[in-house]
Amino acid sequence: MLPILFTLTTFVSTMAGGLFALKNRDRLHRILGFTAGVLLGVVAFDLMPEIFDLLSTTKTDPVVPMIALVVGFLAFHIAEKLTILHSAHEADHDTDGEYTAHKHPQVGLLSAIALSAHSFLDGVGIGLAFQVNTTVGLAVALAVIAHDFSDGLNTVTLMLTHRNTSRRSFYLLLLDATTPLLGALSTLFFRLSDQQLLIYLGFFVGFLLYIGASDILPEAHAKHPSRLTLALTVAGTVLIFLVTRVNLG
Ligand SMILES: [Zn+2]
């Protein structure tokens, strides 16, 4: 029941992100910086050590989870580029007219639905992480809850920047907040072997690295990067390092 409990928290986190986006967009990059740091910490201090453990217990070739990692990273990158999921960041470039051609309510709607499909996988990720063990489950749940804030935020900004109404944006936000729960529920109906968990972990690491990097990079490449955001990114990573040390002790 733990994975279900945690995905209920992702509901709150996604809704909070979406409602935050409806109010103020100025300070959102700080939160994105922090969650990106959290994602990096979970990858380095929790998921990768778990992959190393499973490699030695199952005597699997290390290249297997690494292929899964690359597939996970590229799959989400390609999916995002194809559905213009990233136009929340791209909206910043509006002044030079580069992206205005995409401004159509249907594009916003499609992107928000694609984001909800991705959030379903967030929920599956939490459920499967609890199949590895509770420590990995907790770390992944924490990472996904932190990141779902930006999912909610992106859903609303995608809808609004493509000229959808606030009411419609809110319904899509509700959808995006609910799909992780459905994803976690689906994992109660199947169990993966250690070999399959290894592939899942590699895939999920690639996915987390991609969404972490896609939140960090726009800020790093901004004309006036905020030092506070950079500090929060490092703080997020250090926090996870400390949390995982406590778990081991
Ligand atoms: Zn997500």
Side-chain angles (χ1 to χ4, degrees), residues 14 76 115 118-123 143-144 147-152 176 180 207-208 211:
T14 308
F76 281 93
L115 199 58
H118 145 101
S119 294
F120 181 84
L121 286 179
D122 283 350
V144 171
H147 146 83
D148 275 358
F149 187 88
S150 74
D151 278 354
D176 188 54
F207 164 61
L208 290 184
I211 56 180

Side-chain angles (χ1 to χ4, degrees), residues 62-221:
V63 83
V64 172
M66 291 305 111
I67 290 171
L69 186 156
V70 170
V71 170
F73 191 103
L74 290 180
F76 281 93
H77 177 59
I78 292 164
E80 191 173 64
K81 288 300 151 193
L82 290 183
T83 52
I84 331 166
L85 279 184
H86 238 81
S87 54
H89 291 300
E90 287 168 358
D92 298 342
H93 302 286
D94 269 346
T95 38
D96 49 40
E98 229 179 305
Y99 296 97
T100 40
H102 295 306
K103 289 216 165 170
H104 199 270
Q106 265 71 26
V107 176
L109 194 64
L110 256 173
S111 303
I113 288 169
L115 199 58
S116 291
H118 145 101
S119 294
F120 181 84
L121 286 179
D122 283 350
V124 172
I126 293 179
L128 290 180
F130 275 99
Q131 288 191 17
V132 178
N133 61 48
T134 310
T135 313
V136 171
L138 289 176
V140 167
L142 185 68
V144 171
I145 289 164
H147 146 83
D148 275 358
F149 187 88
S150 74
D151 278 354
L153 195 148
N154 284 334
T155 302
V156 168
T157 37
L158 277 167
M159 291 294 287
L160 292 179
T161 53
H162 289 98
R163 303 199 183 104
N164 284 285
T165 60
S166 298
R167 175 191 286 258
R168 218 179 186 190
S169 307
F170 183 77
Y171 288 143
L172 267 292
L173 176 62
L174 264 183
L175 178 71
D176 188 54
T178 312
T179 45
L181 190 62
L182 302 178
L185 277 171
S186 75
T187 64
L188 298 178
F189 300 102
F190 63 92
R191 277 204 83 79
L192 297 184
S193 68
D194 278 0
Q195 289 268 357
Q196 289 165 329
L197 283 177
L198 198 50
I199 292 167
Y200 147 71
L201 280 171
F203 184 84
F204 208 63
V205 162
F207 164 61
L208 290 184
L209 281 177
Y210 176 69
I211 56 180
S214 63
D215 279 349
I216 288 176
L217 291 179
E219 174 61 20
H221 294 165

